[in-house]
Each structure stands twice: as C-alpha cells, then as structure tokens.
C-alpha cells in the first residue's frame, strides 16, 4: 500500500528503523531518506485503520532543506564505579562533508532516546 503524506512528519516514527538510503544535495535542494521499519502513526491523515502501522519501505523527502548544523554526537564513558574514564564532545561536521557523512549513515539503525 502506498501513502502520500505532506507536512506530517510528526505522525511518523523512525525509532529502530533502518536507514536504507540517504541522498543529500545542496545544489539540487534535496534531502531524501529511505527507511525500512518506520511506523505510520494512527493520527496520520493517510492511515485509514486508525492504529499504528509498520511500513517496510518508506521514502521521506525534504525539498529545499536548511540544515543548521550536523553534529556527530559525543559521549562520556564511565567504569563500573561511576568514575569518568573518557569524555568525547560533540563534533560539528564541516558543511563540505555533509554528503559523505549522511551517506555513511546508510545501513544503520535509527537510535532515539526521547
């Protein structure tokens, strides 16, 4: 079944979905993702069953995206005694590297902690 949903990104869930493909082109003004395992939530206008539905293949396209910043998330590593062993800060990605970094996310699972 195909859905077409415009301006309803909040009615989709990407938690634990796999990012199959990512295309970014600043010149063409496009940012496109293809996911496996995303969920169309019950409040999506195209979901006639009124319950969350699994989507085995979902394409999400942003036209004329304005990326404010792309950060590689840092971390803090503690030992079993709760003693800080290592701290790595967030690392901003150079704008010229956006395409390569976004492409490197392909095949990865979306992590969401919110």
């Amino acid at each position: 079944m195909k859905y077409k949903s415009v301006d309803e990104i909040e009615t989709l869930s990407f938690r634990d979905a796999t990012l199959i493909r990512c295309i970014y082109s600043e010149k063409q003004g496009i940012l496109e993702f293809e996911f496996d395992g995303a969920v169309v939530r019950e409040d999506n206008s195209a979901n006639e069953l009124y319950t969350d539905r699994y989507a085995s293949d979902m394409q999400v396209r942003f036209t004329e995206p304005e990326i404010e910043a792309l950060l590689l998330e840092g971390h803090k590593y503690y030992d079993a005694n709760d003693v800080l062993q290592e701290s790595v800060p967030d690392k901003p990605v150079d704008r010229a590297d956006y395409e390569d970094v976004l492409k490197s996310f392909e095949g990865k699972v979306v992590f969401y902690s919110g």
Side-chain angles (χ1 to χ4, degrees):
M1 172 168 227
K2 287 190 174 189
Y3 288 100
K4 182 171 183 177
S5 186
V6 177
D7 294 334
E8 292 186 284
I9 195 77
E10 71 280 354
T11 66
L12 305 171
S13 173
F14 305 102
R15 172 180 264 157
D16 298 329
T18 301
L19 180 59
I20 302 299
R21 187 171 53 99
C22 180
I23 298 171
Y24 173 69
S25 174
E26 190 171 12
K27 288 180 184 178
Q28 294 178 354
I30 191 166
L31 174 60
E32 187 173 305
F33 300 104
E34 183 177 340
F35 295 99
D36 179 34
V39 172
V40 179
R41 293 195 177 138
E42 64 180 337
D43 55 344
N44 184 287
S45 65
N47 188 351
E48 70 278 353
L49 292 183
Y50 304 107
T51 185
D52 290 355
R53 295 182 73 172
Y54 173 84
S56 62
D57 182 33
M58 178 181 289
Q59 294 174 355
V60 178
R61 179 179 298 147
F62 298 95
T63 54
E64 302 301 327
E66 294 180 21
I67 299 176
E68 291 182 19
L70 187 59
L71 299 174
L72 297 179
E73 189 174 13
H75 64 273
K76 291 183 179 179
Y77 175 69
Y78 294 86
D79 67 9
N81 296 318
D82 205 27
V83 176
L84 181 64
Q85 300 295 307
E86 179 184 25
S87 181
V88 176
D90 291 345
K91 180 182 171 189
V93 175
D94 189 305
R95 191 167 208 75
D97 297 330
Y98 279 11
E99 288 184 45
D100 294 333
V101 170
L102 288 168
K103 191 91 171 144
S104 74
F105 297 156
E106 291 181 354
K108 308 294 191 297
V109 175
V110 176
F111 174 76
Y112 172 78
S113 63

